[in-house]
Amino acid sequence: MSMAVFPEEGFESNPDASFGSLQGIIALFDDPTALFAGWLHYIVFDALVGRWIVLDSTERGASNLFHAVGVVPCLIMTFVLGPMGFLVYTILIRTLLDAPEGEAVPRRGEKAKEN
């Protein structure tokens, strides 16, 4: 796919470029085409994961307070730190929004089953 968007013409291969070290990654992003492809990848990841976080928290019936205090910081972390924001959100929903063991999580508009 990337070769369809970024043809090999003008793409200069750097022999020091690799994912094995920080210096190799720096060398990889010396090329503007590789830098753009990496930047685009990160932006798409951030947008899709951020969208999923918002939709998931809404579907779980999270309150406005939970969104303000929990979800918004996770979205900022997802944009700045990528997977770290997703991890923190996952921990939050597991500890604060999940139903007790063996019960389904009530969705917005549904009432929780009473025993």
Side-chain angles (χ1 to χ4, degrees):
M1 165 93 177
S2 66
M3 295 320 266
V5 177
F6 310 110
E8 289 188 36
E9 297 175 17
F11 183 75
E12 297 176 20
S13 180
N14 186 340
D16 297 328
S18 73
F19 289 105
S21 69
L22 180 59
Q23 293 302 332
I25 293 173
I26 291 170
L28 179 68
F29 288 118
D30 276 347
D31 178 38
T33 304
L35 178 65
F36 178 74
W39 175 78
L40 186 64
H41 166 77
Y42 294 126
I43 294 298
V44 169
F45 171 85
D46 294 346
L48 291 177
V49 171
R51 181 178 187 273
W52 180 85
I53 288 172
V54 170
L55 292 176
D56 182 66
S57 62
T58 302
E59 186 176 292
R60 290 173 182 271
S63 68
N64 289 337
L65 178 63
F66 183 82
H67 276 102
V69 175
V71 174
V72 170
C74 289
L75 291 173
I76 293 169
M77 279 192 281
T78 299
F79 182 68
V80 175
L81 302 171
M84 184 59 69
F86 177 70
L87 177 64
V88 171
Y89 174 74
T90 303
I91 292 168
L92 281 176
I93 62 171
R94 293 288 179 214
T95 57
L96 300 176
L97 291 181
D98 269 356
E101 189 69 30
E103 294 182 25
V105 175
R107 301 297 181 198
R108 175 170 261 172
E110 295 179 2
K111 292 184 179 182
K113 291 183 181 179
E114 296 180 19
N115 292 337

